[in-house]
């Protein structure tokens, strides 16, 4: 895996239990602090909290606003649910957001994070077929091929090769998709299991003829301390994501992890 890349810190702004002006302010403050990447998530209802019918905002519309609001940070969903939108539409939406985010003649900053989907309430209430984990992963595999093919056809083309981030850890399907398509692999896996999963990705790459050494390993900081992060780093992780919930955002936690990032990159 790609071990010579700098450590980067991502913050996932949870789009639940807040107003949009509070989210907008958090985006501004986190970019000012020096966070590298901002994520939201792609759901239609809160995932946790006291009120599971509480305020919640849709992912892609928000990402278009972030593309215009921000100047430096990369951004995306952690992760897009493939089931909710036609594959070619996803490609076009990603390309459009990529262009919106390109400032002063530079490249876009959008990261296309995606996964097979899992939150059944979204499916039931919005009228999508939930299927099984296997059928959803098969759909994701088909969609990734279509998305990449559509990016090659769009006029204008994306400003850069849009990075693909895939979340999940299943060895037979998900990690094979990571080996084939991903620039970033995100999981909650840690310890020896992380080392094992990386070896699985490498084996799939060898089998399918793709060099996976450039894939960035992404992992979570939620409920972890610096010793945990040090171990993830030693095992190859270089992108670290911190969940960030409002409305009472605690920026001191972000500052703590930024200091850890900077020490690793010194």
């Amino acid at each position: 895996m790609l071990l010579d890349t700098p450590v980067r810190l991502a913050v996932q702004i949870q789009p639940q239990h807040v107003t949009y002006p509070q989210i907008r302010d958090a985006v501004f403050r986190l970019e000012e602090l020096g966070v590298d990447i901002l994520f939201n998530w792609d759901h239609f209802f809160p995932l946790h909290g006291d009120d599971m019918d509480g305020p919640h905002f849709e992912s892609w519309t928000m990402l278009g606003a972030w593309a215009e609001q921000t100047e430096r940070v990369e951004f995306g969903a952690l992760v897009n649910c493939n089931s909710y939108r036609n594959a070619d539409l996803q490609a076009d939406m990603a390309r459009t957001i990529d262009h919106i985010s390109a400032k002063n003649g530079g490249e876009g900053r959008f990261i296309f994070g995606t996964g097979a989907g899992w939150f059944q309430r979204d499916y039931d209430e919005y009228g999508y077929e939930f299927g099984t984990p296997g059928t959803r992963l098969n759909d994701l595999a088909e969609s990734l091929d279509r998305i990449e093919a559509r990016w090659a056809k769009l006029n204008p083309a994306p400003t850069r090769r849009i990075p693909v981030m895939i979340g999940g850890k299943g060895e037979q399907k998900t990690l094979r998709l990571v080996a084939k398509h991903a620039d970033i692999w995100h999981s909650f896996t840690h310890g020896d299991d992380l080392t094992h999963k990386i070896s699985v990705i490498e084996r799939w790459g060898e089998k399918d003829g793709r060099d996976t050494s450039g894939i960035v390993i992404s992992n979570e900081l939620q409920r972890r301390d610096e010793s945990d992060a040090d171990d993830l780093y030693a095992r190859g992780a270089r992108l670290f994501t911190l969940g960030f919930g409002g409305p009472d955002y605690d920026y001191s936690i972000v500052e703590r992890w930024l200091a850890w990032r900077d020490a690793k990159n010194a």
Side-chain angles (χ1 to χ4, degrees):
M1 296 295 140
L2 197 60
L3 300 182
D4 59 352
T5 188
V7 172
R8 294 191 294 167
L9 179 68
V11 173
Q12 185 184 44
I13 301 174
Q14 299 168 1
Q16 61 175 11
H17 306 308
V18 292
T19 65
Y20 193 75
Q22 289 169 325
I23 292 175
R24 184 188 296 116
D25 181 64
V27 169
F28 174 80
R29 292 185 64 178
L30 290 167
E31 184 172 42
E32 287 291 299
L33 281 174
V35 167
D36 299 293
I37 301 172
L38 296 176
F39 291 123
N40 62 16
W41 65 44
D42 187 21
H43 296 287
F44 305 130
F45 302 94
L47 296 185
H48 47 75
D50 294 334
D51 184 2
M52 299 304 286
D53 293 309
H56 194 279
F57 293 97
E58 191 273 330
S59 171
W60 280 84
T61 311
M62 185 186 304
L63 294 174
W66 290 6
E68 191 63 60
Q69 176 186 347
T70 59
E71 297 289 335
R72 176 192 56 79
V73 290
E74 291 187 285
F75 62 95
L78 184 62
V79 289
N80 167 68
C81 177
N82 177 68
S83 306
Y84 301 162
R85 302 161 194 90
N86 169 279
D88 292 87
L89 174 62
Q90 292 179 56
D92 207 337
M93 292 166 69
R95 182 280 310 257
T96 300
I97 290 177
D98 167 70
H99 275 265
I100 295 170
S101 68
K103 302 294 175 71
N104 301 317
E107 293 184 335
R109 295 170 287 115
F110 181 68
I111 295 172
F112 181 69
T114 194
W118 61 273
F119 190 40
Q120 187 167 355
R121 183 183 181 188
D122 284 348
Y123 286 79
D124 291 345
E125 295 216 30
Y126 276 63
Y128 301 110
E129 181 179 352
F130 189 54
T132 67
T135 61
R136 295 194 299 276
L137 280 166
N138 290 341
D139 289 343
L140 177 61
E142 178 187 359
S143 292
L144 284 164
D145 288 334
R146 288 174 56 189
I147 287 163
E148 291 176 352
R150 180 58 57 185
W151 280 338
K153 297 177 182 178
L154 288 169
N155 183 17
T159 68
R160 64 173 181 168
R161 184 184 180 279
I162 296 175
V164 173
M165 178 177 65
I166 297 176
K169 63 178 184 177
E171 295 184 11
Q172 296 306 308
K173 291 188 176 182
T174 302
L175 295 188
R176 190 168 195 176
L177 292 176
V178 170
K180 182 178 180 181
H181 296 281
D183 302 286
I184 305 167
W185 169 54
H186 181 80
S187 78
F188 297 85
T189 309
H190 58 95
D192 290 341
D193 195 31
L194 176 61
T195 302
H196 168 70
K197 300 293 186 183
I198 292 172
S199 71
V200 172
I201 294 170
E202 292 169 344
R203 290 198 298 272
W204 277 125
E206 292 169 1
K207 181 178 178 62
D208 294 338
R210 185 195 177 202
D211 179 6
T212 62
S213 63
I215 296 175
V216 174
I217 306 302
S218 172
N219 214 290
E220 293 287 329
L221 292 175
Q222 202 72 17
R223 294 178 294 278
R224 291 178 176 163
D225 59 21
E226 284 82 353
S227 64
D228 297 321
D230 287 342
D231 185 67
L232 290 168
Y233 177 88
R235 295 176 187 274
R238 291 297 182 270
L239 175 57
F240 295 83
T241 297
L242 178 68
F244 201 53
D248 298 319
Y249 296 111
D250 185 354
Y251 291 93
S252 68
I253 296 174
V254 178
E255 291 169 341
R256 166 190 156 199
W257 284 112
L258 285 169
W260 178 86
R261 177 202 66 183
D262 293 344
K264 285 296 182 191
N265 291 333

